[in-house]
């Protein structure tokens, strides 16, 4: 559906032991709630089965969870750095659902550059997967390959502010792509259109809901909903 997702992991138990059956790791410059949340929002995160594996993944200027803009025919080179809690038996790259590169390091520390097939010009994604000798694993968030000249409109935390006292709504749409985008901002209300009250819900809503959608041309990029 065009959604861009990151990788997280967590325990599905009541043991109350962090990392017992899964761990979400984030890359942040500030060990605060805001810093952790912002890293998750940027998809600058990765998942492990519970081991404290360190993982870094890049393609060109694109970091884990972000976009890498390439011209059609441009080479795709992925760089992976990993530090395991046990010997790393396998390091794999998965591109659009298929394993396209494999390395058997047999070491705790790995840094390797993987030359992949050139960019076709169509949007795609690549992520890194680590397997240790003790069975623990790690998965990076994907890097999304996008063609040069494509806009990428986003709403980030703090870009939408609503003042209840004045009833004013402020929206800042950011373009992280490499060319300007013609932006259309549409605001919908479930009071104006009852059909919207069922969007994303199993039943009708008791209160009015406002929908904000940022569009580039005819392609919907962001749908934000709040009450």
């Amino acid at each position: 559906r065009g959604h861009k997702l990151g990788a997280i992991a967590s325990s599905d138990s009541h043991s109350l032991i962090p990392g017992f059956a899964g761990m979400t790791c984030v890359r942040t410059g500030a060990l605060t709630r805001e810093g952790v949340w912002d890293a998750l929002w940027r998809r600058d995160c990765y998942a492990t089965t519970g081991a404290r594996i360190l993982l870094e993944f890049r393609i060109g200027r694109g970091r884990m969870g972000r976009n890498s803009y390439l011209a059609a025919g441009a080479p795709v080179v992925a760089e992976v750095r990993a530090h395991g809690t046990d010997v790393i038996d396998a390091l794999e790259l998965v591109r659009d659902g298929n394993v396209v590169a494999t390395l058997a390091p047999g070491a705790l520390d790995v840094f390797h550059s993987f030359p992949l097939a050139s960019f076709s010009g169509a949007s795609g994604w690549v992520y890194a997967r680590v397997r240790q000798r003790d069975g623990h694993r790690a998965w990076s968030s994907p890097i999304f390959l996008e063609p040069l000249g494509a806009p990428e409109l986003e709403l980030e935390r703090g870009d939408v502010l609503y003042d209840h006292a004045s009833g004013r709504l402020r929206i800042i749409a950011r373009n992280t792509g490499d060319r300007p985008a013609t932006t259309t901002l549409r605001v919908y209300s479930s009071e104006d259109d009852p059909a919207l009250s069922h969007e994303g819900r199993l039943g009708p809503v008791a209160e009015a809901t406002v929908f904000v959608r940022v569009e580039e041309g005819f392609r919907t990029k962001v749908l934000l909903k709040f009450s």
Side-chain angles (χ1 to χ4, degrees), residues 151-179:
E152 183 68 21
L153 300 176
E154 294 184 354
L155 290 178
E156 297 185 355
R157 191 174 72 89
D159 291 345
V160 179
L161 298 175
Y162 179 67
D163 187 337
H164 286 270
S166 64
R168 293 181 178 273
L169 177 68
R170 189 183 75 171
I171 300 174
I172 303 173
R174 303 179 184 273
N175 179 13
T176 62
D178 62 342
R179 76 169 175 86

